[in-house]
Amino acid sequence: MGRREVERVVAVDWSGDQSAAGQRKKIWAGIWTAGAGGSVDGGRVRLESGRTREEVGEWLIGMALKTPRMVVGFDFCFSFPKWFVKGELGCGDGPAFWELVDGERWLAAECADGRFWGKAGTGRDGKRPAEFSGERLHRMLRATDIDCKIAAVIPEAERAARVRGIAPKSVFQVGGAGSVGTASLRGMPVLKRLRAAGFAVWPFDRAGSKWPLVVEMYTRLNTGAVRKSNAEARAAYLAKKLREDAAYAALGRGVMAKASGSEDGFDALVSCMVMTARRGEFAGLRTPKDSGYRVEGWTWAPGVNA
């Protein structure tokens, strides 16, 4: 499938918020649709919120009926480290792990498994355990977390610069600043639902084998260094893009206003724009270099996996 044949790109900025109201506020989607009377790289871009996690899944399934050649990016971890998924739980691959995931049990205050850290409860103090500290820090990370989130080991200077100064977060962290575990555990049931509906989920499924295609993304790799929690910084970033990038110059004022006014909307829009510009890569995504990818999954990095 060529670059021009991708019919739709959807970048979803995810949330692990427990309440429906919180999900509708925090989950944003940037959507590029080929044609549609638009002038953004041959299509039209929308920026939307207002859906729960379950509603996002059903919405994507509905859109796939109209535009099956669709690529969807989610910014949460698609699995856990291999030693936990395969070695401890006996799952042969990521999708098998989704069948066993008991996210709400691991997130509950009553959970005594201290490896799920960052959130105190009746059976755990919330501190990062010794098992994930010092020389054993790597145990809480997947191979892809090390490959795309630790600047010192990234060979490409431009990609390394995008994540420099950012400490990689573990999927075991379920509370505290920047935690990704809660969103991931509550996202895996949606991956399971989409795969059951016929979506290919890379790298567990070969890219280009069938459509639509779902990939794991990391928004920092798309935005680069920016203080996105600050409204003025978001506005300055977007203003620079507006001056320098014809695709941004073609966006509607409403889309730009939404992205400027919301950190989550900002991540969704910028990720959508990067994925749209790179949409020719997705049909030919390579098998990741690490042998554990079928268990741990892998993060799509612009220009790296094609």
Side-chain angles (χ1 to χ4, degrees):
M1 179 172 294
R3 181 175 187 271
R4 298 182 184 279
E5 293 177 295
V6 174
E7 300 169 298
R8 200 187 305 268
V9 172
V10 184
V12 183
D13 190 73
W14 199 243
S15 173
D17 197 293
Q18 191 166 19
S19 72
Q23 293 168 47
R24 291 195 170 100
K25 178 182 178 182
K26 297 175 183 178
I27 296 176
W28 282 76
I31 310 106
W32 174 88
T33 306
S39 56
V40 181
D41 207 357
R44 178 172 176 262
V45 171
R46 310 191 319 270
L47 186 59
E48 301 178 354
S49 61
R51 298 180 180 91
T52 64
R53 287 185 290 271
E54 184 176 351
E55 289 167 352
V56 167
E58 297 308 312
W59 169 66
L60 291 170
I61 291 169
M63 280 202 298
L65 298 176
K66 301 175 183 177
T67 53
R69 294 192 298 274
M70 179 169 75
V71 181
V72 180
F74 286 111
D75 70 332
F76 61 81
C77 302
F78 284 8
S79 188
F80 273 64
K82 184 178 178 180
W83 65 263
F84 180 72
V85 174
K86 189 172 185 178
E88 191 163 307
L89 299 180
C91 299
D93 58 22
F97 176 61
W98 303 339
E99 297 288 340
L100 292 182
V101 164
D102 191 355
E104 296 309 313
R105 177 174 67 86
W106 289 331
L107 293 171
E110 296 77 20
C111 177
D113 191 336
R115 294 175 300 184
F116 294 90
W117 62 279
K119 181 179 179 181
T122 55
R124 58 187 174 193
D125 61 13
K127 297 178 181 179
R128 187 172 71 190
E131 181 178 348
F132 297 152
S133 300
E135 295 181 353
R136 308 188 76 190
L137 179 70
H138 67 280
R139 276 180 60 80
M140 69 177 184
L141 301 173
R142 301 171 300 156
T144 189
D145 298 325
I146 295 171
D147 179 81
C148 75
K149 299 177 184 178
I150 298 181
V153 302
I154 297 175
E156 303 89 1
E158 190 273 339
R159 185 162 64 101
R162 286 176 172 265
V163 299
R164 188 163 287 116
I166 299 295
K169 300 297 182 181
S170 168
V171 70
F172 281 101
Q173 185 180 350
V174 297
S179 61
V180 298
T182 300
S184 301
L185 288 169
R186 289 177 173 158
M188 291 174 195
V190 176
L191 296 178
K192 176 183 173 182
R193 174 74 179 96
L194 293 176
R195 196 166 187 258
F199 285 59
V201 182
W202 182 82
F204 311 110
D205 302 305
R206 185 171 60 85
S209 61
K210 60 180 179 178
W211 297 83
L213 176 69
V214 179
V215 298
E216 175 184 331
M217 65 176 184
Y218 179 40
T219 55
R220 181 61 182 255
L221 286 179
N222 297 326
T223 65
V226 57
R227 201 153 60 101
K228 58 190 178 183
S229 61
N230 181 282
E232 291 183 358
R234 293 194 301 269
Y237 181 103
L238 293 171
K240 187 173 186 290
K241 288 288 189 181
L242 193 65
R243 294 191 302 270
E244 300 175 353
D245 190 326
Y248 277 83
L251 290 171
R253 291 183 179 180
V255 170
M256 294 292 276
K258 288 178 182 178
S260 182
S262 164
E263 178 179 349
D264 303 311
F266 174 87
D267 276 344
L269 175 63
V270 176
S271 294
C272 176
M273 298 297 280
V274 171
M275 290 178 65
T276 297
R278 297 278 189 173
R279 63 190 183 275
E281 298 181 5
F282 291 105
L285 290 180
R286 297 177 299 181
T287 298
K289 59 187 178 182
D290 187 88
S291 61
Y293 74 89
R294 291 190 182 278
V295 177
E296 296 189 343
W298 202 259
T299 305
W300 171 72
V304 175
N305 307 114

